[in-house]
Amino acid sequence: MPLLTQRIQDESVQYSLVASLDNVRNLSTILKAIHFREHATCFATKNGIRVTVENAKCVQANAFIQAGIFQEFIVQEESITFRINLTVLLDCLSIFGSSPTPGTLTALRMCYQGYGHPLMLFLEEGGVVTVCKINTQEPEDTLDFDFCSTNVINKIILQSEGLREAFSELDMTSEVLQITMSPDKPYFRLSTFGNAGSSHLDYPKDSDLMETFLCNQTQVNRYKISLLKPSTKALVLSCKVSIRTDNRGFLSLQYMIKNEDGQICFVEYYCCPDEEVCESEY
Amino acid sequence: MRCLVTGGNVKVLGKAVHSLSRIGDELYLEPMEEGLSLRTVNSSRSAYACFLFAPLFFQQYQAATPGQDPLHCKILMKSFLSVFRSLAMLEKTVETCCISLSGRSSRLVVQLHCRYGVRKTHNLAFQDCESLQAVFDPASCPYKLCAPARVLGEAVLPFPLALAEVTLGVGAGRRVILRSYQEDEADSSLKAMVTEMSLGEDDFQQLRVREGVAVTFCLKEFRGLLSFAESVNLSLSVHFDTPGRPAIFTVEDSTLDGHFVLATLSEPDPHSLGLGSLEPRRPEPRLQAHSTPHQDDFASDDMDSYMITMETSGGSEAPWARPSGSPSPGPQPPCSPAPPSEDEDEDEAEPTTVPGTPPPKKFRSLFFGSVLTPMRSPQGPSSVLAEDSDGEG
């Protein structure tokens, strides 16, 4: 993208972060998967960028775009953190339109001078260049769910295809989504308790969809359905999902997403269990 | 009760439920010896729909466990529909569907066995109730036409989706005409478009009609059955009579049959040109204050045999059930000077907002009888829903 490179080299400015992509959708698609709040925190190191969105201090979504995805990725400092309006960022990234027209690619060059400066986006398609300047904000501390693999009790890896319809058809009149993971029947069960009655979705451990099934203990946890429903976006984009619960009942969902160039990115959701203690209906 | 549906029939069942959902908000489920019956009626009681799935439709069919009373239950249409919401998904992933009644809990259990060993179980709340049945007999209708659903589907294509009512009639040369029905409102001149579709005799498998006959009914409700018939590639029969008498739409094959009974307008359409001579009825002046002319219509309509009796619920009322005893909205005579809310206290002051139902003010007869045991005859005003109340006040 000679036009964009030219523009940057003309300015004698030191950028803390410079990231270039031949196809902006390799970034925008992943960010859409975590876009359930207005604001996000961006965290960049030489390894790549992590974008975090949180809600109600109960759920957190992270999108990881590693350095290798970018055609050019330079980070001058140890780490860079800023808060930004994710809605505005996505609008800018999709400024040439969000539906892919065959044969045309929109290129992106993202530059950040450092603390106090706006994020600069240079987008180019077919010789037309758009420059966007988005103000950045003080970074806020993100939650640390303290989810480590040593405390994981149950873990399954499923092909996303099996969960997609189930998630999009979840009974939203239910306040909670109950997840049962067990070495015994029903193995893996998603339950809702809505106005019509209760619904249970059971996946047997020997199903073709099940890539990994490591359940040591029967756990039944409830999560607010409104907090988990946004994860459907990530599920729809992904090819595989890993579902883990730890000894506190905290839930980790990790989605493996292949972008248009076949590269792998990850999105993860953490959610803490619903505090209300009630008997589950059958 | 236990029924097991497999293969392509799961989608057929789902499609039937979708059709029924176009009519009413409650689904009446009744497993009988002759098959599983799913019925519904709309809120103004001007449309009734019923599907009967013969035991052959199922891989396994057990209407009732021996010694148990037969089940009559009703369930929220929304709840039952949620099981079959995505027809595409049903077709792609569902292998079998099992509907059973859980003995201990009062739950209707619908279990879908899907690809990859996945199993979906829905435990739906239901309510015991009386049997809902309309008294009608297609054979008593003098006029009948029958055509493949595809033909009728193509015939209604030109009509706008928002169109509420359509007139079906027979014109010169035994051509079958469908025309969009205009309410005779003051602003009718603003309605720019009237659509008319005419089909030749040859398009029909059966045409037992007389030139000049015409009936007007709710198109949206008709579309419900039509889309079902198209999806299962069946022929659709329309049995009808004089305006005001219900029109009966039927489909059938060896494993199922469906009946949609829709009320028809009892006034001849004053704008219905080109349909030949109409039934000799006095044209009703729109704005007259008195309503006596209508009295005669009712006498000739044989109203009594068409009254509905309110079903009495066996259990406690669910919050969403209509309070028993309050008369269901009767149709209002258009000439009545009083606003609808004065005539009857009903919860539907604005029936026009009920989707899929034509404005009840124009529909006179409510045409159901209740199938009760001979000892229990309709008890009196409190149990009669559809009293046509011209004599109000």
Side-chain angles (χ1 to χ4, degrees), chain B residues 282-327:
Chain B
R282 230 175 302 127
E284 315 295 359
R286 295 283 159 186
L287 299 170
Q288 262 184 20
H290 64 87
S291 46
T292 353
H294 305 294
Q295 213 79 45
D296 297 345
D297 294 349
F298 301 131
S300 64
D301 266 353
D302 195 18
M303 271 293 286
D304 286 331
S305 67
Y306 283 13
M307 302 268 240
I308 192 173
T309 309
M310 172 84 83
E311 71 271 11
T312 49
S313 307
S316 55
E317 291 286 336
W320 40 265
R322 290 199 187 285
S324 346
S326 68

mmCIF file of all heavy atoms in Angstrom, chain B residues 282-327:
data_model
loop_
_atom_site.group_PDB
_atom_site.id
_atom_site.type_symbol
_atom_site.label_atom_id
_atom_site.label_comp_id
_atom_site.label_asym_id
_atom_site.label_seq_id
_atom_site.Cartn_x
_atom_site.Cartn_y
_atom_site.Cartn_z
ATOM 1 N N ARG B 282 -80.474 -7.546 1.110
ATOM 2 C CA ARG B 282 -80.626 -6.101 1.183
ATOM 3 C C ARG B 282 -79.258 -5.488 1.415
ATOM 4 O O ARG B 282 -78.575 -5.852 2.376
ATOM 5 C CB ARG B 282 -81.527 -5.757 2.370
ATOM 6 C CG ARG B 282 -82.648 -4.827 2.083
ATOM 7 C CD ARG B 282 -83.536 -4.661 3.297
ATOM 8 N NE ARG B 282 -84.075 -5.924 3.762
ATOM 9 C CZ ARG B 282 -83.977 -6.357 5.018
ATOM 10 N NH1 ARG B 282 -83.342 -5.646 5.907
ATOM 11 N NH2 ARG B 282 -84.488 -7.513 5.363
ATOM 12 N N PRO B 283 -78.844 -4.547 0.584
ATOM 13 C CA PRO B 283 -77.557 -3.892 0.864
ATOM 14 C C PRO B 283 -77.703 -3.052 2.132
ATOM 15 O O PRO B 283 -78.695 -2.373 2.312
ATOM 16 C CB PRO B 283 -77.311 -2.995 -0.350
ATOM 17 C CG PRO B 283 -78.611 -2.911 -1.065
ATOM 18 C CD PRO B 283 -79.519 -3.997 -0.584
ATOM 19 N N GLU B 284 -76.738 -3.156 3.042
ATOM 20 C CA GLU B 284 -76.865 -2.476 4.322
ATOM 21 C C GLU B 284 -76.354 -1.048 4.230
ATOM 22 O O GLU B 284 -75.189 -0.843 3.914
ATOM 23 C CB GLU B 284 -76.059 -3.212 5.380
ATOM 24 C CG GLU B 284 -76.238 -4.733 5.359
ATOM 25 C CD GLU B 284 -77.641 -5.171 5.708
ATOM 26 O OE1 GLU B 284 -78.484 -4.299 5.985
ATOM 27 O OE2 GLU B 284 -77.904 -6.359 5.703
ATOM 28 N N PRO B 285 -77.180 -0.100 4.536
ATOM 29 C CA PRO B 285 -76.676 1.283 4.590
ATOM 30 C C PRO B 285 -75.696 1.405 5.749
ATOM 31 O O PRO B 285 -75.923 0.869 6.818
ATOM 32 C CB PRO B 285 -77.928 2.133 4.843
ATOM 33 C CG PRO B 285 -78.986 1.178 5.236
ATOM 34 C CD PRO B 285 -78.564 -0.211 4.919
ATOM 35 N N ARG B 286 -74.603 2.088 5.529
ATOM 36 C CA ARG B 286 -73.514 2.011 6.495
ATOM 37 C C ARG B 286 -73.786 2.741 7.786
ATOM 38 O O ARG B 286 -73.370 2.336 8.837
ATOM 39 C CB ARG B 286 -72.235 2.581 5.887
ATOM 40 C CG ARG B 286 -71.735 1.789 4.731
ATOM 41 C CD ARG B 286 -71.065 0.557 5.198
ATOM 42 N NE ARG B 286 -71.026 -0.437 4.136
ATOM 43 C CZ ARG B 286 -70.602 -1.660 4.297
ATOM 44 N NH1 ARG B 286 -70.187 -2.046 5.466
ATOM 45 N NH2 ARG B 286 -70.593 -2.495 3.299
ATOM 46 N N LEU B 287 -74.410 3.895 7.688
ATOM 47 C CA LEU B 287 -74.411 4.734 8.884
ATOM 48 C C LEU B 287 -75.755 4.796 9.584
ATOM 49 O O LEU B 287 -76.017 5.679 10.361
ATOM 50 C CB LEU B 287 -73.940 6.152 8.520
ATOM 51 C CG LEU B 287 -72.531 6.171 7.966
ATOM 52 C CD1 LEU B 287 -72.187 7.527 7.388
ATOM 53 C CD2 LEU B 287 -71.524 5.784 9.035
ATOM 54 N N GLN B 288 -76.616 3.879 9.329
ATOM 55 C CA GLN B 288 -77.906 3.904 10.005
ATOM 56 C C GLN B 288 -77.749 3.571 11.466
ATOM 57 O O GLN B 288 -76.952 2.733 11.848
ATOM 58 C CB GLN B 288 -78.843 2.897 9.366
ATOM 59 C CG GLN B 288 -79.766 3.548 8.370
ATOM 60 C CD GLN B 288 -80.734 2.530 7.838
ATOM 61 O OE1 GLN B 288 -80.954 1.509 8.443
ATOM 62 N NE2 GLN B 288 -81.314 2.835 6.687
ATOM 63 N N ALA B 289 -78.567 4.206 12.252
ATOM 64 C CA ALA B 289 -78.442 4.022 13.697
ATOM 65 C C ALA B 289 -79.063 2.717 14.162
ATOM 66 O O ALA B 289 -78.577 2.063 15.053
ATOM 67 C CB ALA B 289 -79.091 5.195 14.427
ATOM 68 N N HIS B 290 -80.126 2.309 13.566
ATOM 69 C CA HIS B 290 -80.788 1.112 14.074
ATOM 70 C C HIS B 290 -80.182 -0.123 13.442
ATOM 71 O O HIS B 290 -79.536 -0.084 12.420
ATOM 72 C CB HIS B 290 -82.289 1.165 13.818
ATOM 73 C CG HIS B 290 -82.616 1.170 12.342
ATOM 74 N ND1 HIS B 290 -82.752 0.026 11.609
ATOM 75 C CD2 HIS B 290 -82.810 2.196 11.489
ATOM 76 C CE1 HIS B 290 -83.037 0.355 10.355
ATOM 77 N NE2 HIS B 290 -83.084 1.669 10.257
ATOM 78 N N SER B 291 -80.438 -1.201 14.094
ATOM 79 C CA SER B 291 -79.776 -2.415 13.637
ATOM 80 C C SER B 291 -80.754 -3.518 13.299
ATOM 81 O O SER B 291 -80.383 -4.666 13.201
ATOM 82 C CB SER B 291 -78.798 -2.880 14.706
ATOM 83 O OG SER B 291 -79.416 -2.826 15.966
ATOM 84 N N THR B 292 -82.010 -3.187 13.156
ATOM 85 C CA THR B 292 -82.983 -4.243 12.892
ATOM 86 C C THR B 292 -82.716 -5.059 11.639
ATOM 87 O O THR B 292 -82.897 -6.259 11.658
ATOM 88 C CB THR B 292 -84.421 -3.693 12.793
ATOM 89 O OG1 THR B 292 -84.398 -2.329 13.137
ATOM 90 C CG2 THR B 292 -85.368 -4.485 13.638
ATOM 91 N N PRO B 293 -82.263 -4.444 10.566
ATOM 92 C CA PRO B 293 -82.037 -5.268 9.364
ATOM 93 C C PRO B 293 -81.172 -6.483 9.667
ATOM 94 O O PRO B 293 -81.372 -7.532 9.090
ATOM 95 C CB PRO B 293 -81.310 -4.324 8.406
ATOM 96 C CG PRO B 293 -81.717 -2.970 8.840
ATOM 97 C CD PRO B 293 -82.024 -3.048 10.306
ATOM 98 N N HIS B 294 -80.283 -6.346 10.594
ATOM 99 C CA HIS B 294 -79.366 -7.447 10.846
ATOM 100 C C HIS B 294 -80.061 -8.613 11.525
ATOM 101 O O HIS B 294 -79.642 -9.738 11.398
ATOM 102 C CB HIS B 294 -78.204 -6.961 11.704
ATOM 103 C CG HIS B 294 -77.528 -5.791 11.073
ATOM 104 N ND1 HIS B 294 -76.848 -5.907 9.901
ATOM 105 C CD2 HIS B 294 -77.484 -4.493 11.424
ATOM 106 C CE1 HIS B 294 -76.383 -4.704 9.567
ATOM 107 N NE2 HIS B 294 -76.754 -3.836 10.466
ATOM 108 N N GLN B 295 -81.080 -8.290 12.253
ATOM 109 C CA GLN B 295 -81.796 -9.352 12.955
ATOM 110 C C GLN B 295 -82.218 -10.422 11.966
ATOM 111 O O GLN B 295 -82.065 -11.606 12.208
ATOM 112 C CB GLN B 295 -83.054 -8.750 13.617
ATOM 113 C CG GLN B 295 -83.422 -9.423 14.919
ATOM 114 C CD GLN B 295 -82.551 -8.920 16.054
ATOM 115 O OE1 GLN B 295 -82.333 -7.725 16.189
ATOM 116 N NE2 GLN B 295 -82.049 -9.818 16.850
ATOM 117 N N ASP B 296 -82.751 -9.989 10.832
ATOM 118 C CA ASP B 296 -83.222 -10.959 9.848
ATOM 119 C C ASP B 296 -82.082 -11.823 9.356
ATOM 120 O O ASP B 296 -82.234 -13.013 9.157
ATOM 121 C CB ASP B 296 -83.842 -10.238 8.634
ATOM 122 C CG ASP B 296 -85.049 -9.444 9.046
ATOM 123 O OD1 ASP B 296 -85.549 -9.667 10.153
ATOM 124 O OD2 ASP B 296 -85.463 -8.584 8.261
ATOM 125 N N ASP B 297 -80.924 -11.189 9.195
ATOM 126 C CA ASP B 297 -79.784 -11.964 8.723
ATOM 127 C C ASP B 297 -79.505 -13.118 9.667
ATOM 128 O O ASP B 297 -79.183 -14.210 9.248
ATOM 129 C CB ASP B 297 -78.520 -11.091 8.661
ATOM 130 C CG ASP B 297 -78.671 -10.020 7.610
ATOM 131 O OD1 ASP B 297 -79.616 -10.094 6.829
ATOM 132 O OD2 ASP B 297 -77.835 -9.127 7.599
ATOM 133 N N PHE B 298 -79.610 -12.829 10.941
ATOM 134 C CA PHE B 298 -79.223 -13.853 11.890
ATOM 135 C C PHE B 298 -80.203 -14.998 11.892
ATOM 136 O O PHE B 298 -79.832 -16.146 12.051
ATOM 137 C CB PHE B 298 -79.085 -13.270 13.288
ATOM 138 C CG PHE B 298 -78.064 -12.196 13.294
ATOM 139 C CD1 PHE B 298 -78.307 -10.976 13.865
ATOM 140 C CD2 PHE B 298 -76.865 -12.404 12.648
ATOM 141 C CE1 PHE B 298 -77.360 -9.990 13.815
ATOM 142 C CE2 PHE B 298 -75.926 -11.418 12.587
ATOM 143 C CZ PHE B 298 -76.177 -10.194 13.178
ATOM 144 N N ALA B 299 -81.443 -14.636 11.752
ATOM 145 C CA ALA B 299 -82.432 -15.712 11.765
ATOM 146 C C ALA B 299 -82.133 -16.678 10.634
ATOM 147 O O ALA B 299 -82.180 -17.892 10.799
ATOM 148 C CB ALA B 299 -83.827 -15.114 11.612
ATOM 149 N N SER B 300 -81.803 -16.106 9.490
ATOM 150 C CA SER B 300 -81.545 -16.989 8.362
ATOM 151 C C SER B 300 -80.206 -17.691 8.504
ATOM 152 O O SER B 300 -79.945 -18.689 7.871
ATOM 153 C CB SER B 300 -81.582 -16.200 7.048
ATOM 154 O OG SER B 300 -80.530 -15.275 7.059
ATOM 155 N N ASP B 301 -79.341 -17.162 9.355
ATOM 156 C CA ASP B 301 -78.030 -17.767 9.546
ATOM 157 C C ASP B 301 -78.070 -18.989 10.445
ATOM 158 O O ASP B 301 -77.075 -19.657 10.629
ATOM 159 C CB ASP B 301 -77.062 -16.761 10.181
ATOM 160 C CG ASP B 301 -76.275 -16.037 9.117
ATOM 161 O OD1 ASP B 301 -76.406 -16.415 7.953
ATOM 162 O OD2 ASP B 301 -75.547 -15.100 9.459
ATOM 163 N N ASP B 302 -79.212 -19.205 11.065
ATOM 164 C CA ASP B 302 -79.290 -20.337 11.985
ATOM 165 C C ASP B 302 -78.188 -20.243 13.036
ATOM 166 O O ASP B 302 -77.372 -21.141 13.204
ATOM 167 C CB ASP B 302 -79.180 -21.654 11.196
ATOM 168 C CG ASP B 302 -79.619 -22.836 12.035
ATOM 169 O OD1 ASP B 302 -80.318 -22.606 13.057
ATOM 170 O OD2 ASP B 302 -79.239 -23.956 11.700
ATOM 171 N N MET B 303 -78.203 -19.125 13.718
ATOM 172 C CA MET B 303 -77.142 -18.805 14.672
ATOM 173 C C MET B 303 -76.961 -19.831 15.750
ATOM 174 O O MET B 303 -75.859 -20.145 16.141
ATOM 175 C CB MET B 303 -77.454 -17.450 15.338
ATOM 176 C CG MET B 303 -76.901 -16.294 14.585
ATOM 177 S SD MET B 303 -75.115 -16.300 14.624
ATOM 178 C CE MET B 303 -74.840 -15.778 16.272
ATOM 179 N N ASP B 304 -78.073 -20.306 16.263
ATOM 180 C CA ASP B 304 -77.959 -21.137 17.459
ATOM 181 C C ASP B 304 -77.033 -22.314 17.269
ATOM 182 O O ASP B 304 -76.278 -22.673 18.154
ATOM 183 C CB ASP B 304 -79.344 -21.633 17.896
ATOM 184 C CG ASP B 304 -80.136 -20.505 18.526
ATOM 185 O OD1 ASP B 304 -79.477 -19.609 19.089
ATOM 186 O OD2 ASP B 304 -81.362 -20.508 18.453
ATOM 187 N N SER B 305 -77.128 -22.897 16.115
ATOM 188 C CA SER B 305 -76.286 -24.065 15.921
ATOM 189 C C SER B 305 -74.822 -23.686 15.799
ATOM 190 O O SER B 305 -73.960 -24.524 15.762
ATOM 191 C CB SER B 305 -76.731 -24.826 14.672
ATOM 192 O OG SER B 305 -76.467 -24.029 13.539
ATOM 193 N N TYR B 306 -74.581 -22.413 15.745
ATOM 194 C CA TYR B 306 -73.209 -21.982 15.534
ATOM 195 C C TYR B 306 -72.594 -21.314 16.763
ATOM 196 O O TYR B 306 -71.523 -20.764 16.677
ATOM 197 C CB TYR B 306 -73.150 -20.972 14.371
ATOM 198 C CG TYR B 306 -73.247 -21.622 13.013
ATOM 199 C CD1 TYR B 306 -73.631 -22.940 12.844
ATOM 200 C CD2 TYR B 306 -72.956 -20.888 11.875
ATOM 201 C CE1 TYR B 306 -73.721 -23.517 11.616
ATOM 202 C CE2 TYR B 306 -73.044 -21.454 10.634
ATOM 203 C CZ TYR B 306 -73.429 -22.765 10.501
ATOM 204 O OH TYR B 306 -73.509 -23.328 9.250
ATOM 205 N N MET B 307 -73.278 -21.390 17.861
ATOM 206 C CA MET B 307 -72.729 -20.707 19.035
ATOM 207 C C MET B 307 -71.664 -21.536 19.691
ATOM 208 O O MET B 307 -71.729 -22.745 19.712
ATOM 209 C CB MET B 307 -73.850 -20.467 20.056
ATOM 210 C CG MET B 307 -74.956 -19.657 19.478
ATOM 211 S SD MET B 307 -74.682 -17.940 19.783
ATOM 212 C CE MET B 307 -76.151 -17.618 20.719
ATOM 213 N N ILE B 308 -70.736 -20.844 20.299
ATOM 214 C CA ILE B 308 -69.703 -21.588 20.983
ATOM 215 C C ILE B 308 -69.991 -21.600 22.464
ATOM 216 O O ILE B 308 -70.575 -20.684 23.002
ATOM 217 C CB ILE B 308 -68.311 -20.983 20.726
ATOM 218 C CG1 ILE B 308 -67.224 -21.935 21.200
ATOM 219 C CG2 ILE B 308 -68.144 -19.670 21.450
ATOM 220 C CD1 ILE B 308 -65.864 -21.494 20.839
ATOM 221 N N THR B 309 -69.615 -22.646 23.113
ATOM 222 C CA THR B 309 -69.729 -22.698 24.554
ATOM 223 C C THR B 309 -68.328 -22.647 25.120
ATOM 224 O O THR B 309 -67.441 -23.352 24.671
ATOM 225 C CB THR B 309 -70.415 -24.001 25.001
ATOM 226 O OG1 THR B 309 -71.606 -24.136 24.248
ATOM 227 C CG2 THR B 309 -70.719 -23.972 26.472
ATOM 228 N N MET B 310 -68.149 -21.821 26.104
ATOM 229 C CA MET B 310 -66.839 -21.632 26.702
ATOM 230 C C MET B 310 -66.372 -22.917 27.326
ATOM 231 O O MET B 310 -67.105 -23.564 28.050
ATOM 232 C CB MET B 310 -66.944 -20.538 27.762
ATOM 233 C CG MET B 310 -65.709 -20.385 28.588
ATOM 234 S SD MET B 310 -64.517 -19.349 27.764
ATOM 235 C CE MET B 310 -65.132 -17.763 28.208
ATOM 236 N N GLU B 311 -65.135 -23.268 27.044
ATOM 237 C CA GLU B 311 -64.610 -24.448 27.702
ATOM 238 C C GLU B 311 -64.306 -24.084 29.151
ATOM 239 O O GLU B 311 -63.911 -22.989 29.462
ATOM 240 C CB GLU B 311 -63.346 -24.956 27.005
ATOM 241 C CG GLU B 311 -62.132 -24.095 27.172
ATOM 242 C CD GLU B 311 -62.031 -23.031 26.080
ATOM 243 O OE1 GLU B 311 -63.002 -22.852 25.335
ATOM 244 O OE2 GLU B 311 -60.994 -22.377 26.022
ATOM 245 N N THR B 312 -64.521 -25.042 30.010
ATOM 246 C CA THR B 312 -64.220 -24.791 31.411
ATOM 247 C C THR B 312 -62.892 -25.451 31.713
ATOM 248 O O THR B 312 -62.651 -26.583 31.370
ATOM 249 C CB THR B 312 -65.290 -25.376 32.339
ATOM 250 O OG1 THR B 312 -65.514 -26.723 31.927
ATOM 251 C CG2 THR B 312 -66.582 -24.603 32.212
ATOM 252 N N SER B 313 -62.029 -24.702 32.366
ATOM 253 C CA SER B 313 -60.704 -25.238 32.630
ATOM 254 C C SER B 313 -60.755 -26.195 33.786
ATOM 255 O O SER B 313 -61.409 -25.939 34.786
ATOM 256 C CB SER B 313 -59.752 -24.107 32.968
ATOM 257 O OG SER B 313 -59.822 -23.154 31.949
ATOM 258 N N GLY B 314 -60.023 -27.286 33.661
ATOM 259 C CA GLY B 314 -59.996 -28.283 34.728
ATOM 260 C C GLY B 314 -59.193 -27.797 35.912
ATOM 261 O O GLY B 314 -59.578 -27.949 37.048
ATOM 262 N N GLY B 315 -58.029 -27.172 35.609
ATOM 263 C CA GLY B 315 -57.168 -26.767 36.712
ATOM 264 C C GLY B 315 -57.309 -25.299 37.011
ATOM 265 O O GLY B 315 -58.272 -24.665 36.606
ATOM 266 N N SER B 316 -56.340 -24.781 37.679
ATOM 267 C CA SER B 316 -56.408 -23.355 38.000
ATOM 268 C C SER B 316 -56.094 -22.556 36.756
ATOM 269 O O SER B 316 -55.410 -23.020 35.861
ATOM 270 C CB SER B 316 -55.417 -23.029 39.100
ATOM 271 O OG SER B 316 -54.134 -23.451 38.689
ATOM 272 N N GLU B 317 -56.570 -21.372 36.729
ATOM 273 C CA GLU B 317 -56.366 -20.535 35.554
ATOM 274 C C GLU B 317 -54.907 -20.115 35.494
ATOM 275 O O GLU B 317 -54.355 -19.639 36.447
ATOM 276 C CB GLU B 317 -57.225 -19.265 35.652
ATOM 277 C CG GLU B 317 -58.708 -19.508 35.524
ATOM 278 C CD GLU B 317 -59.106 -19.825 34.088
ATOM 279 O OE1 GLU B 317 -58.387 -19.437 33.156
ATOM 280 O OE2 GLU B 317 -60.145 -20.460 33.924
ATOM 281 N N ALA B 318 -54.339 -20.280 34.365
ATOM 282 C CA ALA B 318 -52.998 -19.719 34.170
ATOM 283 C C ALA B 318 -53.153 -18.216 34.006
ATOM 284 O O ALA B 318 -54.200 -17.767 33.582
ATOM 285 C CB ALA B 318 -52.361 -20.328 32.930
ATOM 286 N N PRO B 319 -52.182 -17.480 34.369
ATOM 287 C CA PRO B 319 -52.327 -16.008 34.286
ATOM 288 C C PRO B 319 -52.703 -15.532 32.891
ATOM 289 O O PRO B 319 -53.302 -14.491 32.733
ATOM 290 C CB PRO B 319 -50.954 -15.470 34.667
ATOM 291 C CG PRO B 319 -50.205 -16.614 35.194
ATOM 292 C CD PRO B 319 -50.907 -17.875 34.875
ATOM 293 N N TRP B 320 -52.358 -16.309 31.905
ATOM 294 C CA TRP B 320 -52.602 -15.839 30.569
ATOM 295 C C TRP B 320 -53.942 -16.290 30.005
ATOM 296 O O TRP B 320 -54.279 -15.986 28.899
ATOM 297 C CB TRP B 320 -51.482 -16.288 29.637
ATOM 298 C CG TRP B 320 -51.005 -17.668 29.872
ATOM 299 C CD1 TRP B 320 -49.953 -18.032 30.638
ATOM 300 C CD2 TRP B 320 -51.559 -18.890 29.367
ATOM 301 N NE1 TRP B 320 -49.803 -19.403 30.628
ATOM 302 C CE2 TRP B 320 -50.757 -19.955 29.857
ATOM 303 C CE3 TRP B 320 -52.651 -19.201 28.551
ATOM 304 C CZ2 TRP B 320 -51.006 -21.276 29.569
ATOM 305 C CZ3 TRP B 320 -52.899 -20.532 28.255
ATOM 306 C CH2 TRP B 320 -52.079 -21.541 28.767
ATOM 307 N N ALA B 321 -54.673 -17.104 30.773
ATOM 308 C CA ALA B 321 -55.968 -17.571 30.258
ATOM 309 C C ALA B 321 -56.985 -16.458 30.372
ATOM 310 O O ALA B 321 -56.911 -15.616 31.254
ATOM 311 C CB ALA B 321 -56.426 -18.783 31.067
ATOM 312 N N ARG B 322 -57.937 -16.474 29.495
ATOM 313 C CA ARG B 322 -58.985 -15.451 29.592
ATOM 314 C C ARG B 322 -59.851 -15.770 30.803
ATOM 315 O O ARG B 322 -60.149 -16.916 31.067
ATOM 316 C CB ARG B 322 -59.859 -15.503 28.349
ATOM 317 C CG ARG B 322 -59.094 -15.005 27.186
ATOM 318 C CD ARG B 322 -59.953 -14.596 26.041
ATOM 319 N NE ARG B 322 -59.090 -14.286 24.930
ATOM 320 C CZ ARG B 322 -58.381 -13.187 24.846
ATOM 321 N NH1 ARG B 322 -58.472 -12.290 25.760
ATOM 322 N NH2 ARG B 322 -57.577 -12.978 23.834
ATOM 323 N N PRO B 323 -60.268 -14.755 31.491
ATOM 324 C CA PRO B 323 -61.158 -15.036 32.626
ATOM 325 C C PRO B 323 -62.451 -15.656 32.117
ATOM 326 O O PRO B 323 -63.028 -15.160 31.165
ATOM 327 C CB PRO B 323 -61.420 -13.664 33.245
ATOM 328 C CG PRO B 323 -60.903 -12.672 32.279
ATOM 329 C CD PRO B 323 -59.997 -13.332 31.323
ATOM 330 N N SER B 324 -62.849 -16.753 32.727
ATOM 331 C CA SER B 324 -64.079 -17.416 32.250
ATOM 332 C C SER B 324 -65.261 -16.550 32.565
ATOM 333 O O SER B 324 -65.306 -15.859 33.567
ATOM 334 C CB SER B 324 -64.294 -18.753 32.945
ATOM 335 O OG SER B 324 -63.135 -19.137 33.603
ATOM 336 N N GLY B 325 -66.219 -16.667 31.735
ATOM 337 C CA GLY B 325 -67.440 -15.936 32.037
ATOM 338 C C GLY B 325 -67.530 -14.628 31.280
ATOM 339 O O GLY B 325 -68.609 -14.155 31.009
ATOM 340 N N SER B 326 -66.423 -14.064 30.945
ATOM 341 C CA SER B 326 -66.572 -12.816 30.195
ATOM 342 C C SER B 326 -66.780 -13.196 28.745
ATOM 343 O O SER B 326 -66.059 -14.010 28.199
ATOM 344 C CB SER B 326 -65.342 -11.942 30.352
ATOM 345 O OG SER B 326 -64.243 -12.535 29.711
ATOM 346 N N PRO B 327 -67.771 -12.630 28.165
ATOM 347 C CA PRO B 327 -68.070 -13.043 26.785
ATOM 348 C C PRO B 327 -66.931 -12.639 25.853
ATOM 349 O O PRO B 327 -66.360 -11.582 25.999
ATOM 350 C CB PRO B 327 -69.353 -12.286 26.444
ATOM 351 C CG PRO B 327 -69.524 -11.268 27.507
ATOM 352 C CD PRO B 327 -68.675 -11.622 28.656
#
